[in-house]
Amino acid sequence: MALKWQGWAVGLVALAGLLVFAPLGLYVWASSPARPPAASAPPPEVRVTDCRIDPASRRVLAVVEARGGQGSYVVTVEFRDRRPSLPDARTSRSLARLPGLTPDTPPARTEAIGPVWPPSTPPWCGVAAVAPEPTHD
């Protein structure tokens, strides 16, 4: 009869230990410092070299040029109707992809296509952000 209760006692002690130490282990794991990010190449130098309105489509076209960097990048180009960003300024954004940059290659160029623009307002184009292109594993 004692052996029958001994199995239950061992099971209950194991379950109690699991209920106590599992949250403690999760807490220690979650509060451990994150690994430092891997060293990566510096981001490329990106600038807008031309900002114009396409006469046929009336869309803003920005020519984006990038030098340096390593890998592929996504550039966010901003289009505004005034150089300083004012509360009433018209703004729009577009993404442009710069694939396969290396420090040794000549500058890479691509175009960012913006919105249809009113004919009486000259556009202003600028780089809002540069980010590495996400990798798909």
Side-chain angles (χ1 to χ4, degrees), residues 21-122:
F21 290 111
L24 180 64
L26 285 173
Y27 172 76
V28 169
W29 174 74
S31 63
S32 64
R35 294 181 184 160
S40 61
E45 177 188 325
V46 181
R47 64 188 181 110
V48 174
T49 58
D50 187 27
C51 182
R52 60 185 161 77
I53 298 174
D54 179 52
S57 67
R58 301 292 311 154
R59 290 187 171 275
V60 182
L61 297 176
V63 177
V64 179
E65 181 181 272
R67 296 171 191 245
Q70 181 75 34
S72 298
Y73 292 87
V74 176
V75 179
T76 304
V77 179
E78 186 174 51
F79 306 96
R80 294 188 242 155
D81 61 355
R82 294 188 187 109
R83 186 177 183 105
S85 184
L86 299 174
D88 63 337
R90 174 185 166 155
T91 61
S92 180
R93 291 184 174 199
S94 177
L95 298 177
R97 184 173 178 261
L98 293 165
L101 296 177
T102 64
D104 303 329
T105 58
R109 288 197 172 121
T110 188
E111 279 190 345
I113 301 171
V116 175
W117 207 258
S120 62
T121 309

Side-chain angles (χ1 to χ4, degrees), residues 5-20:
W5 287 102
Q6 188 179 12
W8 279 99
V10 169
L12 288 175
V13 168
L15 181 62
L18 186 62
L19 290 173
V20 170

